[in-house]
Amino acid sequence: MSDEHKIRRIVPIGPYHPLQEEPEFFKLIVEGEKVVDLEIHIGYNHRGHEFISPELTYEQVPFLVERICGICSNSHPLACVLAIEDCAGIKPPPRANYIRSIIHELERIHSHLLWVGLAGHFIGYNTVWMWAWRYREHILQVFEMITGNRNHYAANKPGGVRWDIKPEQIPEIEAALDLVEKKTMMLTKAVLDDPVIRARLEGVGILTKEQAIAWSVVGPTARASGVDIDVRRDDPHAAYDLVPWNVIVLPEGDVFAKAKVRLLEIFESIKIIRGCLNNLPDGPIDTRIDEVPPGEGIGRTEAPRGEVFHYIRSDGSNRPLRHKIRAPSYMNIASNVVAVKGGSIADAALTLAAVDPCYCCTERMAAFEDGRMKYSSKELLRLSWEKTEKLRERLRPKHQTGQSYR
Amino acid sequence: MRDLRLWGLKKSPWVYHVAAASCNNCDIEILELLPPRYDVERFGVVLVGSPRHADALLVTGVINRKSLPRVLEVYEQTPKPCLVVAVGSCACNNHIFRNSYNAVGPYDKYIPVHAYIPGCPPKPEAMILGLVKALSKL
Amino acid sequence: MNVSLKLLLERFPQSEVFEKNPRRLYIKIPRADLTAVAKFLHIEQGMRLSICTGIDTREGFEILYHFSEDKSGVIYTIKVLAPKDEPKVESLGTWFPAALWIEREMHELLGIDFIGHPNLIPLLTSDTDWEPDRYPLRRDYEQRNEAHER
């Protein structure tokens, strides 16, 4: 086909795809079945947190930032209180640090399971979705037991934590961890050993190490491209330098590597929580902050999606003068422009979802041809499922087991 | 014909979910209704992929300037009568975002809302109760 | 002293360093040195750009570039000041993709001009329901009460 006959088509995904929960707008520009460019339009979730924050006191700000994102709702308050404590030069007591790590890692487990479920749905494995979300419930129950709420648990405050972990709660936490570990092991084996899933995810949506560095991506998106960064290890806070655990880094950069990193991180999180529970010191869970002197502070932590960054400038009053918030998806979603180029339309939705976008963190899929919509978001999902089916047909004689996780 | 439709709606509401500038907590909790623990499909509630097939709209978020036209478009596309249920404190009354330069909600400024389920986020049990109460009002 | 900091001060002697604590360094540089310092930190020293912050202060528009040296956990925050009547700086987006979005955001919420940016269009705000010259993060933004009236 000569160049004059090639028609550039635009494929938008969004804004209201029932499965991609957050509204954002990805305009994929395609030629034939290949994606040649991507326009990203966000702002459908922009609510103006940085504008509201200076109107609130330092005690109130963590409640505001918690509502930036519902899934990583502990990461923002943690980074925010770390910034306030950095500005004030305060260190919370040891018991608070351990509890911070426990709550934060519990959140990582439930967030990664949520993503695994969504990814399963994207490729047509609804059983994976139901399983992953079913076992997530155990973690949410633990949150409800400790803090009173399944999400938005307001665990952190400047100077420490707001909820203590009582001795009688520990056996239930450990039981939930044992169950989740067993089920995640089963899920991991099912996902990683399935030849259809491997064929579907390997080589898809590759982000090279150089691209990951140029776009300053963070979190599992970076670690799956060989970039060895993790704020918990690099800039230690809470109890991360007090218990043993590993950073998972893989070189391939494709969606399969991203899935592997997240699944393996669940086991590391379980390790951290067990380490913290075994070494939980006695003592107070918070320390008093009488004033935040004029100055500035930076707090950051490793959310399930990557580095969450908060900067606070104080003028000595009890409200921040300026509060800068940067969620991990802000950097990761921008890199989709390079990750999705050269791939097929059937892989596009999966690639875009593979950075685990939390658009509500960042502010938040369709195919157009000659300015007219060719594939809606539902149709793009259907294309993804069809590709999985074709792979399954092709690989069927080679299946060792008769099991299907469809 | 209207009575037949309402009967169908009450017995098996097809629900479309609209999220406009929300933090997603309510949205994930709505999706939580599907897996085995709460399993609303046994009540006949089905989450559909298009507003044109919906009997009820579950709406979340504060709505911001950018998403408002899309919300109105979705409401236009939904066949009437349709039940609108505001889920979460943001959808009920803008919550902590009421002073934002970008928040233009709540929903009842633009479309009729039949039920309000407050909470941040509301528990899944509260959502089911709210939906059932709203349906029984019909 | 940090190796990278030492090299930075040798190369750019006009920098003023404030060490808040061992992992938080704040370095003021002249506006003209911005691209050279950013290239030094990212390309030569391998630092990652975490994000940039724009602040409207009495002295002018302060723009902070937060570079993270992941191997040591130290954050190097570079500060430049643009005067109120000339809020312009050189764009890093011409050579550094990580800066593209945040420069668009600072442009639309604070009104800072990033010279040379390949696509300085609004990132977050509505294309249909937003007036030009409306900068919510400026201190003189008068519509704080607008939401109350609505």
Side-chain angles (χ1 to χ4, degrees), chain A residues 166-233:
Chain A
K166 306 187 183 57
E168 55 267 24
Q169 292 171 332
I170 295 185
E172 191 169 330
I173 302 175
E174 285 175 348
L177 286 181
D178 289 339
L179 180 66
V180 168
E181 186 182 39
K182 211 171 73 175
K183 296 297 180 182
T184 307
M185 188 80 75
M186 194 176 72
L187 196 63
T188 306
K189 276 182 138 65
V191 163
L192 300 187
D193 291 347
D194 186 318
V196 176
I197 294 185
R198 283 191 86 112
R200 186 74 185 80
L201 301 184
E202 270 176 342
V204 167
I206 294 181
L207 187 73
T208 66
K209 188 173 181 181
E210 293 68 38
Q211 288 168 334
I213 292 175
W215 289 83
S216 287
V217 299
V218 291
T221 308
R223 291 194 282 281
S225 292
V227 182
D228 189 1
I229 53 173
D230 190 317
V231 179
R232 296 171 288 172
R233 175 201 57 198

Side-chain angles (χ1 to χ4, degrees), chain B residues 1-10 81:
Chain B
M1 190 58 199
R2 198 187 132 98
D3 285 338
L4 193 65
R5 187 139 202 265
L6 281 176
W7 177 84
L9 198 161
K10 275 172 119 153

Side-chain angles (χ1 to χ4, degrees), chain C residues 35-55:
Chain C
T35 301
V37 170
K39 282 188 169 163
F40 169 74
L41 291 178
H42 174 64
I43 300 177
E44 287 184 53
Q45 298 299 309
M47 295 193 199
R48 172 176 59 88
L49 179 70
S50 272
I51 200 59
C52 312
T53 304
I55 314 181

Side-chain angles (χ1 to χ4, degrees), chain A residues 89-386:
Chain A
I90 301 268
K91 292 213 180 309
R95 188 177 174 88
N97 279 328
Y98 279 83
I99 295 177
R100 278 182 177 176
S101 278
I102 292 171
I103 303 266
H104 202 211
E105 292 310 302
L106 283 170
E107 179 178 87
R108 193 181 317 279
I109 297 174
H110 102 72
S111 174
H112 282 344
L113 282 175
L114 189 144
W115 180 83
V116 165
L118 284 188
H121 183 79
F122 262 75
I123 58 173
Y125 276 66
N126 281 328
T127 319
V128 169
W129 177 27
M130 291 291 155
W131 272 5
W133 283 43
R134 172 72 187 89
Y135 297 110
R136 228 183 115 234
E137 283 290 321
H138 294 280
I139 305 290
L140 298 183
Q141 290 240 214
V142 169
F143 278 131
E144 194 167 353
M145 174 182 70
I146 301 174
T147 70
N149 203 358
R150 292 149 54 92
N151 294 295
H152 286 341
Y153 14 86
N156 288 295
K157 67 176 215 192
V161 292
R162 296 178 65 237
W163 308 104
D164 200 357
I165 295 182
K166 306 187 183 57
E168 55 267 24
Q169 292 171 332
I170 295 185
E172 191 169 330
I173 302 175
E174 285 175 348
L177 286 181
D178 289 339
L179 180 66
V180 168
E181 186 182 39
K182 211 171 73 175
K183 296 297 180 182
T184 307
M185 188 80 75
M186 194 176 72
L187 196 63
T188 306
K189 276 182 138 65
V191 163
L192 300 187
D193 291 347
D194 186 318
V196 176
I197 294 185
R198 283 191 86 112
R200 186 74 185 80
L201 301 184
E202 270 176 342
V204 167
I206 294 181
L207 187 73
T208 66
K209 188 173 181 181
E210 293 68 38
Q211 288 168 334
I213 292 175
W215 289 83
S216 287
V217 299
V218 291
T221 308
R223 291 194 282 281
S225 292
V227 182
D228 189 1
I229 53 173
D230 190 317
V231 179
R232 296 171 288 172
R233 175 201 57 198
D234 303 333
D235 193 355
H237 51 281
Y240 290 114
D241 50 346
L242 303 171
V243 294
W245 59 283
N246 303 308
V247 177
I248 312 285
V249 182
L250 295 171
E252 297 91 13
D254 55 16
V255 177
F256 193 57
K258 296 196 210 325
K260 262 197 295 191
V261 166
R262 290 190 178 103
L263 283 165
L264 295 176
E265 278 187 1
I266 294 177
F267 299 110
E268 294 304 315
S269 292
I270 294 176
K271 212 189 277 183
I272 295 174
I273 300 172
R274 285 189 178 137
C276 288
L277 286 172
N278 288 337
N279 295 307
L280 194 58
D282 294 322
I285 57 170
D286 60 4
T287 187
R288 207 170 121 142
I289 301 187
D290 284 318
E291 63 154 8
V292 180
E296 45 204 341
I298 293 175
R300 51 179 181 166
T301 187
E302 183 79 14
R305 287 156 189 81
E307 178 199 51
V308 120
F309 187 99
H310 281 241
Y311 166 84
I312 293 242
R313 177 168 290 189
S314 161
D315 59 359
S317 70
N318 66 343
R319 291 162 211 267
L321 184 66
R322 175 77 170 98
H323 185 180
K324 175 67 192 163
I325 303 165
R326 198 275 279 136
S329 297
Y330 195 80
M331 312 306 288
N332 293 342
I333 293 174
S335 76
N336 274 331
V337 164
V338 289
V340 93
K341 263 192 216 182
S344 71
I345 303 185
D347 288 336
L350 187 61
T351 307
L352 296 172
V355 302
D356 196 3
C358 204
Y359 300 120
C360 41
C361 281
T362 310
E363 80 33 57
R364 310 185 231 285
M365 265 193 285
F368 275 81
E369 178 165 31
D370 289 334
R372 292 168 71 240
M373 184 159 85
K374 183 176 187 198
Y375 295 121
S376 68
S377 45
K378 232 170 68 165
E379 282 152 9
L380 283 165
L381 191 66
R382 188 181 46 84
L383 283 174
S384 174
W385 292 358
E386 277 172 10

Side-chain angles (χ1 to χ4, degrees), chain A residues 22 42 46-47 70 136-137, chain B residues 23-24 32 37 66 100:
Chain A
E22 295 87 343
I42 60 170
H46 180 62
R47 287 154 287 156
R136 228 183 115 234
E137 283 290 321
Chain B
C23 80
N24 280 124
E32 287 280 331
R37 188 173 179 198
K66 208 162 183 176
S100 164

Side-chain angles (χ1 to χ4, degrees), chain A residues 15-16 18 21-23 42-49 51-52 55 63-64 67-71 114 129-130 133-134 136-137 140-141 144 148-152 360 364 378, chain B residues 16-25 27-29 31-32 34-38 48-50 53 62 64 66-67 70-71 74 95-97 99-102 120-121 123-124:
Chain A
Y16 292 111
E21 275 309 301
E22 295 87 343
I42 60 170
Y44 296 93
N45 268 319
H46 180 62
R47 287 154 287 156
H49 282 88
F51 178 80
I52 300 170
E55 296 179 357
F63 290 96
L64 172 72
R67 282 146 181 86
I68 293 175
C69 175
I71 306 164
L114 189 144
W129 177 27
M130 291 291 155
W133 283 43
R134 172 72 187 89
R136 228 183 115 234
E137 283 290 321
L140 298 183
Q141 290 240 214
E144 194 167 353
N149 203 358
R150 292 149 54 92
N151 294 295
H152 286 341
C360 41
R364 310 185 231 285
K378 232 170 68 165
Chain B
Y16 183 72
H17 166 217
V18 180
S22 84
C23 80
N24 280 124
N25 221 328
D27 309 317
I28 297 292
E29 293 289 271
L31 282 195
E32 287 280 331
L34 292 174
R37 188 173 179 198
Y38 297 103
V48 295
S50 163
H53 305 146
V62 298
N64 66 7
K66 208 162 183 176
S67 54
R70 273 86 178 163
V71 167
V74 164
H95 202 206
I96 49 176
F97 300 106
N99 291 340
S100 164
Y101 55 84
N102 217 25
C120 189
K123 292 246 173 30

